[in-house]
Amino acid sequence: MAVLSRCTEDPGAPARGQVLLVDEPRLLDASTARRRIAGHLTELDVSYPTAPSTPDVALVCDAPEAAARLSGQGVPVVYLHCRHRATELPAVPAVTRLVQRPDWLSALPTRSQKALNAVQLLAPRRLTRNRSRSGCLVLVSAYEADDAERADFTDTFLRPAAAEAVRRTGHCDVVCDTGFTAVRKALGPVAGVRVHRAADVDFDALHAAAETFLASPTLTAVSLAWARNAPLTLLPPLGPDQRDLADRLRRLVPIEVAEDARRPAVWTPHPGPWAPLKPDDDARREAQRIARRVRQLALIPTAF
């Protein structure tokens, strides 16, 4: 990603900071974090990696190579490790390093996480759900799963689950981050199913409108259900990180893991499992607090 010189179209206009937003588009949690924080950056000019300008600050979500490149060019970087990891986090050059790790997820963070500033779950800005909800939202993250695991998951679980969702709720929206083309092809014959790429669709709005919610074990899925105190059924985990998150979560709250889409428990999840996690209003403001850090770096002269 080349960063070129910045130009100002109107020299007489009030100065506005410019923030570059970068995320890993194949990772659901990274797309979620970038969108939710960007929603609170209205005082800044927002640009993306294709923009020919030099930003005042960059917000980078789970894209370590981009963070290293920008830091090497002298751009102050706010870096967020967005997804849950069962292993040590990589070292990333940045002015501010954050990790999305809610207090209840782990009382004993890994060594690499102790040196980072932990932030709570990034909640959607709109917390209410539609009164006339219908259909099913299936949120799939296959990031870092190998091809064989993704193919087996799609054929043996996702296709019959989508068909069952249509039968029970009328229609089904499937959102996936990695392997979008293969999923769309596999689900093409299933009437009533729409397949979306996570980087291109507002799945916060889809969740607000959905009657039922099935999702891969990700922090995005947990944040949607937790913030709205809504039911959630977990999809079979893909990879060690998702398995670790599912195990940790199920020790705290009663959540069903859907191994067989035909089981009634998949479609009648616990109605309010989130009470032990104490979803209060202050904890829901994390995206706003991160945005404040970005604004401060963009608008206050700082020596690096």
Side-chain angles (χ1 to χ4, degrees):
M1 175 184 63
V3 178
L4 308 178
S5 61
R6 179 181 178 182
C7 60
T8 304
E9 293 182 0
D10 183 2
R16 285 172 62 92
Q18 186 180 53
V19 56
L20 176 68
L21 302 180
V22 185
D23 67 275
E24 169 51 81
R26 299 169 302 167
L27 175 60
L28 178 67
D29 286 335
S31 297
T32 303
R34 186 259 300 165
R35 288 178 180 176
R36 291 181 181 169
I37 298 168
H40 297 281
L41 294 173
T42 54
E43 299 93 339
L44 303 177
D45 291 327
V46 173
S47 62
Y48 297 90
T50 55
S53 59
T54 301
D56 296 299
V57 62
L59 170 68
V60 181
C61 299
D62 258 311
E65 292 182 357
R69 190 160 53 244
L70 287 161
S71 295
Q73 295 169 356
V75 178
V77 171
V78 175
Y79 189 86
L80 176 60
H81 293 280
C82 306
R83 65 187 175 105
H84 173 75
R85 289 176 183 256
T87 57
E88 292 290 320
L89 295 171
V92 179
V95 171
T96 301
R97 301 172 185 84
L98 308 171
V99 56
Q100 185 175 200
R101 191 191 68 238
D103 294 338
W104 47 260
L105 181 59
S106 173
L108 296 172
T110 61
R111 185 177 67 255
S112 62
Q113 291 181 348
K114 290 179 181 178
L116 301 171
N117 294 313
V119 300
Q120 303 302 309
L121 286 177
L122 306 184
R125 293 191 71 179
R126 180 177 176 273
L127 296 181
T128 57
R129 299 188 72 197
N130 298 0
R131 291 184 178 180
S132 56
R133 297 187 295 274
S134 64
C136 178
L137 172 61
V138 180
L139 205 56
V140 181
S141 179
Y143 186 73
E144 290 195 342
D146 60 45
D147 292 342
E149 186 178 25
R150 286 203 303 267
D152 181 67
F153 169 82
T154 301
D155 293 339
T156 62
F157 179 83
L158 186 57
R159 188 187 294 113
E164 185 69 7
V166 172
R167 188 182 74 81
R168 289 176 175 269
T169 69
H171 63 89
C172 177
D173 286 286
V174 177
V175 178
C176 55
D177 54 8
T178 304
F180 166 77
T181 301
V183 170
R184 183 175 60 180
K185 181 179 179 180
L187 298 184
V190 184
V193 175
R194 296 178 298 183
V195 182
H196 313 270
R197 195 190 311 269
D200 301 334
V201 69
D202 184 355
F203 39 80
D204 285 354
L206 290 175
H207 177 259
E211 177 184 348
T212 58
F213 183 36
L214 280 66
S216 297
T218 59
L219 294 179
T220 291
V222 176
S223 70
L224 282 167
W226 165 82
R228 291 181 170 137
N229 197 28
L232 167 65
T233 298
L234 295 179
L235 300 175
L238 294 173
D241 293 337
Q242 290 190 16
R243 284 191 286 273
D244 185 72
L245 178 58
D247 289 344
R248 291 172 184 264
L249 193 59
R250 296 185 75 201
R251 294 175 205 158
L252 300 171
V253 293
I255 291 187
E256 176 79 14
V257 175
E259 299 292 348
D260 183 351
R262 295 169 298 182
R263 293 181 60 237
V266 172
W267 307 99
T268 55
H270 193 286
W274 305 107
L277 307 189
K278 301 177 181 178
D280 56 57
D281 290 338
D282 185 63
R284 294 188 178 107
R285 298 193 183 101
E286 202 63 87
Q288 187 175 359
R289 282 190 278 266
I290 297 172
R292 189 180 303 124
R293 297 188 189 207
V294 174
R295 284 197 301 272
Q296 289 171 343
L297 281 173
L299 299 175
I300 299 175
T302 309
F304 297 98

